[in-house]
Amino acid sequence: MRAGPVALFVSAVFGAGWMLTMSDHLEPARAAERPETGAAAWTYPAARKSDQVDEYHDTQVADPYRWLEDPDSEETRTWVKAQQELTAKYYAAIPQRAKIQERLTELWNFERFGLPAERGGKYFYDRNDGLQNQSVIYVSDTLDGEPRELLNPNNLSEDGTVALSGTALSDDGKSLAYGLASSGSDWQEWKVRSVDSGKDLEDHLKWIKFSGASWTPDGAGFYYSRYDEPNEETKFTDTNYFQKLYFHRVGTPQSEDVLTYHRPDEKEWGFDGEVTEDGKFLIITVTHGTERKNQLFYQDLSKPGSSVVELLTGFDAKYQFVANDGGVFYVQTDLDAPRSRVVAIDTAHPGRDAWKEILAQGDDVLESASVVGDRMFAVYMKDAYNQVQVHGLDGKSLGTVELPGIGTVGGFRGRRDQRETFYSFVSFTQPATIYRYDLKTGESSVFRAPKTAFDSSRYETKQVFYQSKDGTKVPMFITAKKGVKLDGTNPTLLYAYGGFDISLTPSYSVTNAVWMEMGGIYALPNLRGGGEYGREWHEAGMKEHKQNVFDDFIAAAEYLIDQRYTSKEKLAIFGGSNGGLLVGACMTQRPDLYGACIPAVGVMDMLRFHKFTIGWAWVPEYGSSDDAEQFKSLLAYSPLHNLKAGVKYPATLVTTADHDDRVVPAHSFKFAATLQETQAGPEPTLIRIESKAGHGAGTPTSKRIELAADQLSFLVKELDVNAAP
């Protein structure tokens, strides 16, 4: 199943008294005093305070930096430029930064491969030689044959800011549909390339978001989802409603695409179309924002003009189409099974009392199920790491896939006529290795293994369990050098997410590798709100229960300090998107607990998030300020609204991007401006604003290295890390 539902996610000082020159209409700059020196160490860009006040259910809430919601106004641009200059000055005065960036570049420079896919007797996979801004798609006549370059996104822009956002191969392997995103935007344009000639056809589709593509078996065309053409001037901030499912016939203009399904009565519904392998059915996954409960409809393509059948309705559970045998659909669901199961539904007799259970719910969470050949691969999650079981289509156990250790797997995709499949395995200390799995023998063999300059043998990962505020047991991975001394002096980076049913499992990060080379510890707790233990774990961190997530994160920090891994002065917290919200909430609730904070592309204004782009889709997760009771809980933890004057906050680096049209930069802009206004302590409060970038997906390698160098340099400076990489 392709990713269809909308998801959030889910990475010395400047001269004392330095002053920015600002326009006359802005307020005077603010300076903070360093008690130990008495010098005016931090002078922040001026930010005008307006008298904007909003009323929410008889409560008055000030929003003095509302003007920063307009990213293109002259006033905002002036403020952004001044902040960029301030942050650049800060980094220029950190002598270790050049060495950090050099080591990041060295470790990033290793060959990486994606999972192969076989179509029409050809093999397709993506590869990055190490420092390419974007990975390149290759095609080969045999698995180990000499590949040829099919699509190189690096040729589409000089700075690598045009990225592949999705691909879909026709069944015969003759056509590749692919999506492109510019400067990190969620907006996509799709094109079609001939595999034989390596050239694009005339097809050009626009105004696509949150959609893949699914071909009909004859290769005549594909299904995709799009929105109506937006206002060009406000396309990066306007809300996105009324997604529509279309069929595009290759060789025809987009204006002739056939509207397959839409619901003008349901503006918040989203649609993902998938053609079954036998070509008989169009499966339509119907989503409502980021709610992890969906509907499943289908259309009989063997009968032209047939209507769409609403098979599973009511948004009462998660339903994921796995495969079909004619009119019998294999569906993964958490209905009556919060840790998930697989059932077979006969569309001729779809009543729930007629469903046949293929894989029953087990002790561990069933993360995904897929069918290749005559095998069903079930990927389970046990305490946030993966195990893989193999079954027949009747549910009979056929064994397990032996994995190298504690890590994360991906893959096990393919078709019913294939006798092989591919999967990846990654850990905290080893990047992804690609394996080929032989369905006949059940044996795995290495297809591609990366070679890096990082000596993983010096490091180890262990899993601990700690208690949260309410007694809930929470798992946490801790990765560090072998034999690390627990004396409270180790610089430690605590990273988490905690939301949207997204699980954080082991993964390799060059940034973390360099951090550990410098003597740092990397800790990753699996907070409530994620999917590590199924639906109940997720729902325990939603809406009015969101405080549980923050309590879990705070308890993780306290555990690391109590167990002498680190100290308050040496502990940094980091998170992005919903994880940026996590960091923002925890630093306002417990500013005394950390030495440094990095909230990245965070959701910081919990009262207005639903008024921009796809923010409305997060209401099922967070609630909405439009509801009186939900407003109270949102206001209680909203990072922007809980910054208090006179509080000494930790050193903070807010990061965002000017083209982020998922979590619009206004969140970070307003939070940073307010933090700089309220900061009573001597620690810096900076904002790093990336240009020509978005929420994170498709960011070119060069920009990723620069961001990582800035983040690590910030930690080296503020946590007083002495070791060099």
Side-chain angles (χ1 to χ4, degrees), residues 390-432:
V390 187
H391 299 266
L393 297 186
D394 58 359
K396 181 180 179 180
S397 176
L398 299 177
T400 62
V401 177
E402 296 299 323
L403 301 176
I406 292 178
T408 302
V409 298
F412 297 107
R413 302 299 178 184
R415 305 177 67 79
R416 301 293 288 273
D417 59 355
Q418 291 179 345
R419 311 313 302 167
E420 64 183 356
T421 188
F422 297 87
Y423 67 94
S424 63
F425 178 85
V426 62
S427 71
F428 286 111
T429 57
Q430 291 278 3

Coordinates of all heavy atoms in Angstrom, one line a residue, residues 390-432:
V390 N 6.5 -15.1 8.7 CA 6.0 -15.4 7.4 C 4.8 -16.4 7.5 O 4.9 -17.3 8.3 CB 7.1 -16.1 6.6 CG1 6.7 -16.3 5.1 CG2 8.4 -15.2 6.6
H391 N 3.8 -16.2 6.8 CA 2.6 -17.0 6.8 C 2.1 -17.3 5.4 O 2.4 -16.6 4.5 CB 1.4 -16.3 7.6 CG 1.8 -15.9 9.0 ND1 1.4 -16.7 10.1 CD2 2.4 -14.8 9.5 CE1 1.8 -16.1 11.2 NE2 2.4 -15.0 10.9
G392 N 1.3 -18.4 5.4 CA 0.6 -18.7 4.2 C -0.7 -17.8 4.1 O -1.0 -17.1 5.1
L393 N -1.3 -17.7 3.0 CA -2.5 -16.9 2.9 C -3.7 -17.4 3.7 O -4.7 -16.7 3.9 CB -2.9 -16.8 1.4 CG -1.9 -16.1 0.5 CD1 -2.4 -15.9 -0.9 CD2 -1.4 -14.8 1.1
D394 N -3.5 -18.6 4.2 CA -4.5 -19.1 5.2 C -4.2 -18.8 6.6 O -4.9 -19.2 7.6 CB -4.7 -20.6 5.0 CG -3.4 -21.4 5.2 OD1 -2.3 -20.7 5.5 OD2 -3.4 -22.6 5.1
G395 N -3.1 -18.1 6.8 CA -2.7 -17.7 8.1 C -1.7 -18.7 8.8 O -1.1 -18.4 9.9
K396 N -1.4 -19.8 8.2 CA -0.5 -20.8 8.7 C 0.9 -20.3 8.8 O 1.4 -19.7 7.9 CB -0.5 -22.1 7.9 CG 0.3 -23.2 8.5 CD 0.3 -24.5 7.6 CE 1.2 -25.6 8.1 NZ 1.1 -26.8 7.3
S397 N 1.5 -20.5 10.0 CA 2.9 -20.0 10.2 C 3.9 -20.8 9.3 O 3.9 -22.0 9.3 CB 3.3 -20.1 11.6 OG 4.6 -19.7 11.8
L398 N 4.8 -20.0 8.6 CA 5.8 -20.6 7.8 C 7.2 -20.3 8.3 O 8.2 -20.4 7.6 CB 5.6 -20.2 6.3 CG 4.3 -20.6 5.7 CD1 4.2 -20.1 4.3 CD2 4.1 -22.1 5.7
G399 N 7.3 -19.7 9.5 CA 8.6 -19.4 10.0 C 8.8 -17.9 10.2 O 7.8 -17.1 10.2
T400 N 10.0 -17.5 10.5 CA 10.4 -16.1 10.7 C 11.5 -15.7 9.8 O 12.2 -16.6 9.2 CB 10.8 -15.9 12.1 OG1 12.0 -16.7 12.4 CG2 9.7 -16.3 13.1
V401 N 11.7 -14.4 9.6 CA 12.9 -13.9 8.9 C 13.9 -13.5 10.0 O 13.7 -12.7 10.8 CB 12.5 -12.7 8.1 CG1 13.8 -12.1 7.4 CG2 11.5 -13.1 7.0
E402 N 15.1 -14.2 9.9 CA 16.1 -13.9 10.9 C 16.8 -12.6 10.6 O 17.3 -12.3 9.5 CB 17.2 -15.0 10.9 CG 16.6 -16.4 11.3 CD 16.1 -16.4 12.7 OE1 16.7 -15.8 13.6 OE2 15.1 -17.1 12.9
L403 N 16.8 -11.7 11.6 CA 17.4 -10.4 11.5 C 18.7 -10.3 12.2 O 18.9 -11.0 13.2 CB 16.4 -9.3 12.0 CG 15.0 -9.3 11.3 CD1 14.1 -8.3 12.0 CD2 15.1 -9.0 9.8
P404 N 19.5 -9.3 11.8 CA 20.9 -9.2 12.4 C 20.9 -8.8 13.9 O 21.9 -9.0 14.6 CB 21.6 -8.2 11.6 CG 20.8 -8.1 10.3 CD 19.4 -8.4 10.7
G405 N 19.8 -8.2 14.4 CA 19.8 -7.7 15.7 C 18.6 -6.8 16.0 O 17.6 -6.9 15.3
I406 N 18.8 -5.9 17.0 CA 17.7 -5.0 17.3 C 17.7 -3.8 16.2 O 18.7 -3.1 16.1 CB 17.9 -4.4 18.7 CG1 17.6 -5.5 19.7 CG2 16.9 -3.3 18.9 CD1 17.8 -5.0 21.2
G407 N 16.6 -3.7 15.5 CA 16.6 -2.7 14.5 C 15.3 -2.5 13.8 O 14.3 -3.0 14.4
T408 N 15.3 -1.9 12.7 CA 14.0 -1.6 11.9 C 14.1 -2.2 10.5 O 15.2 -2.1 9.9 CB 13.9 -0.1 11.8 OG1 13.8 0.5 13.1 CG2 12.6 0.3 11.1
V409 N 13.0 -2.8 10.1 CA 13.0 -3.4 8.7 C 12.0 -2.6 7.9 O 11.0 -2.0 8.4 CB 12.7 -4.9 8.7 CG1 13.7 -5.7 9.5 CG2 11.3 -5.1 9.3
G410 N 12.2 -2.7 6.6 CA 11.3 -2.1 5.7 C 11.3 -2.9 4.4 O 12.3 -3.5 4.1
G411 N 10.2 -2.9 3.7 CA 10.2 -3.6 2.4 C 9.2 -4.7 2.4 O 8.0 -4.6 2.8
F412 N 9.6 -5.9 1.9 CA 8.8 -7.1 1.7 C 7.6 -6.8 0.8 O 6.4 -7.1 1.1 CB 8.3 -7.6 3.1 CG 9.4 -8.1 4.0 CD1 9.7 -7.4 5.1 CD2 10.0 -9.3 3.7 CE1 10.8 -7.8 5.9 CE2 11.1 -9.7 4.5 CZ 11.5 -9.0 5.6
R413 N 7.9 -6.1 -0.3 CA 6.9 -5.7 -1.3 C 7.1 -6.5 -2.5 O 8.2 -7.0 -2.8 CB 6.9 -4.2 -1.6 CG 6.7 -3.3 -0.4 CD 5.4 -3.5 0.3 NE 5.2 -2.7 1.5 CZ 4.2 -2.8 2.3 NH1 3.2 -3.6 2.0 NH2 4.1 -2.0 3.3
G414 N 6.1 -6.6 -3.4 CA 6.3 -7.3 -4.6 C 4.9 -7.8 -5.2 O 3.9 -7.3 -4.7
R415 N 5.0 -8.8 -6.1 CA 3.7 -9.2 -6.7 C 3.5 -10.7 -6.5 O 4.4 -11.4 -6.1 CB 3.8 -8.8 -8.2 CG 4.1 -7.3 -8.5 CD 4.3 -7.0 -9.9 NE 3.0 -7.1 -10.7 CZ 2.1 -6.2 -10.6 NH1 2.2 -5.1 -9.9 NH2 1.0 -6.4 -11.3
R416 N 2.3 -11.1 -6.9 CA 2.0 -12.5 -6.6 C 2.7 -13.5 -7.5 O 2.8 -14.7 -7.1 CB 0.5 -12.7 -6.9 CG -0.4 -11.8 -6.0 CD -0.4 -12.2 -4.5 NE -1.0 -13.4 -4.3 CZ -2.3 -13.5 -4.0 NH1 -3.1 -12.4 -3.9 NH2 -2.9 -14.7 -3.7
D417 N 3.3 -13.1 -8.6 CA 4.0 -14.0 -9.5 C 5.5 -14.0 -9.2 O 6.3 -14.6 -9.9 CB 3.8 -13.7 -10.9 CG 4.2 -12.3 -11.3 OD1 4.6 -11.5 -10.4 OD2 4.1 -11.9 -12.5
Q418 N 6.0 -13.3 -8.2 CA 7.4 -13.2 -7.9 C 7.8 -14.2 -6.9 O 7.1 -14.6 -6.0 CB 7.7 -11.8 -7.4 CG 7.6 -10.7 -8.5 CD 7.9 -9.3 -7.9 OE1 8.0 -9.1 -6.7 NE2 8.1 -8.3 -8.8
R419 N 9.1 -14.6 -7.0 CA 9.7 -15.6 -6.1 C 10.8 -15.0 -5.2 O 11.5 -15.7 -4.6 CB 10.3 -16.8 -6.9 CG 9.4 -17.3 -8.0 CD 7.9 -17.6 -7.5 NE 7.9 -18.5 -6.4 CZ 6.8 -18.7 -5.6 NH1 5.7 -18.0 -5.9 NH2 6.8 -19.5 -4.6
E420 N 10.8 -13.7 -5.2 CA 11.8 -13.0 -4.4 C 11.2 -11.7 -3.9 O 10.3 -11.2 -4.5 CB 13.1 -12.7 -5.2 CG 12.9 -11.8 -6.3 CD 14.1 -11.5 -7.2 OE1 15.2 -12.0 -6.8 OE2 14.0 -10.8 -8.2
T421 N 11.7 -11.2 -2.8 CA 11.4 -9.9 -2.3 C 12.6 -9.3 -1.7 O 13.6 -10.0 -1.5 CB 10.2 -9.9 -1.3 OG1 9.8 -8.6 -1.0 CG2 10.5 -10.7 -0.1
F422 N 12.5 -8.0 -1.3 CA 13.7 -7.3 -0.8 C 13.3 -6.6 0.5 O 12.1 -6.1 0.6 CB 14.3 -6.3 -1.8 CG 14.8 -7.0 -3.1 CD1 13.9 -7.2 -4.1 CD2 16.1 -7.3 -3.2 CE1 14.4 -7.8 -5.3 CE2 16.6 -7.9 -4.3 CZ 15.7 -8.2 -5.4
Y423 N 14.2 -6.5 1.4 CA 13.9 -5.7 2.6 C 15.2 -5.0 3.1 O 16.3 -5.4 2.7 CB 13.3 -6.6 3.7 CG 14.3 -7.6 4.3 CD1 15.0 -7.4 5.4 CD2 14.3 -8.9 3.7 CE1 15.9 -8.4 5.9 CE2 15.2 -9.9 4.2 CZ 15.9 -9.6 5.3 OH 16.7 -10.6 5.9
S424 N 15.0 -4.0 3.9 CA 16.2 -3.3 4.5 C 16.2 -3.5 6.0 O 15.2 -3.7 6.6 CB 16.1 -1.8 4.2 OG 14.9 -1.2 4.8
F425 N 17.4 -3.4 6.5 CA 17.6 -3.5 8.0 C 18.5 -2.4 8.4 O 19.6 -2.2 7.9 CB 18.1 -4.9 8.4 CG 18.3 -5.0 9.9 CD1 17.3 -5.3 10.8 CD2 19.6 -4.7 10.5 CE1 17.5 -5.4 12.1 CE2 19.8 -4.7 11.9 CZ 18.7 -5.1 12.7
V426 N 18.1 -1.6 9.5 CA 18.9 -0.5 9.9 C 18.9 -0.5 11.4 O 17.9 -0.9 12.1 CB 18.4 0.8 9.4 CG1 17.0 1.1 9.8 CG2 19.3 2.0 9.7
S427 N 20.0 -0.1 12.1 CA 20.1 0.1 13.5 C 20.6 1.5 13.8 O 20.8 2.3 13.0 CB 21.0 -1.0 14.1 OG 22.4 -0.7 13.7
F428 N 20.8 1.7 15.1 CA 21.3 3.1 15.5 C 22.8 3.3 15.1 O 23.2 4.4 15.0 CB 21.2 3.2 17.0 CG 19.8 3.5 17.5 CD1 19.1 2.5 18.3 CD2 19.1 4.6 17.3 CE1 17.8 2.7 18.7 CE2 17.9 4.9 17.7 CZ 17.2 3.9 18.5
T429 N 23.5 2.2 14.9 CA 24.9 2.3 14.6 C 25.3 1.9 13.2 O 26.4 2.0 12.8 CB 25.8 1.6 15.6 OG1 25.4 0.2 15.6 CG2 25.6 2.2 17.0
Q430 N 24.3 1.3 12.4 CA 24.6 0.8 11.1 C 23.5 1.3 10.1 O 22.3 1.2 10.4 CB 24.6 -0.7 11.0 CG 25.7 -1.4 11.8 CD 27.0 -1.5 10.9 OE1 27.0 -1.0 9.8 NE2 28.1 -2.1 11.5
P431 N 24.0 1.9 9.0 CA 23.0 2.4 8.0 C 22.3 1.2 7.3 O 22.7 0.0 7.5 CB 23.8 3.2 7.0 CG 25.2 2.7 7.2 CD 25.3 2.3 8.6
A432 N 21.3 1.4 6.5 CA 20.5 0.4 6.0 C 21.2 -0.5 5.0 O 21.9 -0.1 4.1 CB 19.3 1.0 5.2

